[in-house]
Amino acid sequence: MRMQRALVGAVLGGALVLGGTATTAQADAPARASAGEKSVALKASWHFYKAYWTRSECENRGKALGGRYKCTSGIGHDGEFKWFLYRWY
């Protein structure tokens, strides 16, 4: 009798654990658009990527990343002259 109760308890406990895991996974999944909803596309724009000390450093990294990029000069938060890499996406 004890063995039967232990077995039933183990089976029910396992079912609760698996059920809880599945519920959590569903809650964390991103929401999907239904057939009636329209998706909104955002317009691409320039986004800051990183600051570099030299123009060649900035341009080499931009080329290595691929896509459209631009390097602009300016003063950083530390008051030093830097080159800022921007990417288009």
Side-chain angles (χ1 to χ4, degrees), residues 3-46:
M3 183 62 112
Q4 188 177 15
R5 283 187 184 178
L7 185 58
V8 170
V11 170
L12 289 176
L16 289 173
V17 169
L18 290 176
T21 305
T23 305
T24 305
Q26 288 175 351
D28 293 341
R32 295 183 184 178
S34 65
E37 294 180 21
K38 294 180 182 179
S39 61
V40 178
L42 299 176
K43 292 184 179 181
S45 61
W46 291 105

Side-chain angles (χ1 to χ4, degrees), residues 9-84:
V11 170
L12 289 176
L16 289 173
V17 169
L18 290 176
T21 305
T23 305
T24 305
Q26 288 175 351
D28 293 341
R32 295 183 184 178
S34 65
E37 294 180 21
K38 294 180 182 179
S39 61
V40 178
L42 299 176
K43 292 184 179 181
S45 61
W46 291 105
H47 296 271
F48 172 76
Y49 184 75
K50 192 173 177 185
Y52 296 92
W53 289 106
T54 64
R55 182 177 184 174
S56 61
E57 223 180 352
C58 181
E59 290 181 350
N60 289 338
R61 183 63 179 155
K63 289 176 188 175
L65 291 170
R68 291 178 59 186
Y69 72 92
K70 68 178 179 179
C71 292
T72 61
S73 60
I75 305 296
H77 291 295
D78 58 359
E80 299 291 329
F81 182 81
K82 295 182 181 180
W83 289 90
F84 302 105

